Amino acid sequence: IETTCTLGAETSSHVSLRFGDTNSNDILVRHLNSKHVRRVDPLDPVVLDDIPRKPFQACMIDEFQVMGQCVESPICYLYLKLTGTDDWRPGFAQVQVLEGSHLSSNYFFFRRYLPRHVWHGLDVCDREVTPFGIKHKRKVFVKKPSKF
């Protein structure tokens, strides 16, 4: 996930991530800030692992590694959720599936301040071109039943 270089683009608020494939395999990662793996300087692609710092700083790309259910088709939607009091302006996000690069996503571009406390992102899974424009099927997220 890249944070833009705009003044005030960084955040210390909690960021959550939700992504999935066309088969409704939905992966939800709450408090992504705590799963930080490394940062990369976009102008000088050197991994800066040895410098302790918070994720989502301006002009940086942060990498995270999460374990989740398997995806069966390419990742086609991605949403971010900002929970806190300060703003954040991500540039782009991408999901790379380690066991199958053909399942990895394209880039999802944001380049604007995210609204707080709502999922904000892109869904390019089920779209149909009509004479009136592109029609998207509405995605409804349901909670999975918990086991007792």
Side-chain angles (χ1 to χ4, degrees), residues 21-32:
D21 63 11
T22 55
N23 296 333
S24 298
N25 292 307
D26 186 52
I27 292 94
L28 171 63
V29 184
R30 288 188 170 88
H31 304 297
L32 194 57

Side-chain angles (χ1 to χ4, degrees), residues 19-90:
F19 62 91
D21 63 11
T22 55
N23 296 333
S24 298
N25 292 307
D26 186 52
I27 292 94
L28 171 63
V29 184
R30 288 188 170 88
H31 304 297
L32 194 57
N33 311 52
S34 64
K35 294 164 179 49
H36 187 250
V37 173
R38 63 184 179 175
R39 75 175 180 161
V40 178
D41 185 335
L43 300 177
D44 183 17
V46 176
V47 176
L48 304 171
D49 285 336
D50 57 343
I51 302 171
R53 61 158 209 98
K54 299 183 299 185
F56 308 123
Q57 298 298 306
C59 294
M60 287 292 150
I61 297 173
D62 293 287
E63 291 185 5
F64 303 88
Q65 187 169 4
V66 296
M67 300 288 287
Q69 67 190 54
C70 294
V71 292
E72 300 161 359
S73 60
I75 301 296
C76 58
Y77 68 87
L78 184 141
Y79 294 94
L80 296 169
K81 183 178 182 181
L82 179 67
T83 307
T85 57
D86 58 345
D87 293 327
W88 179 45
R89 188 174 179 180

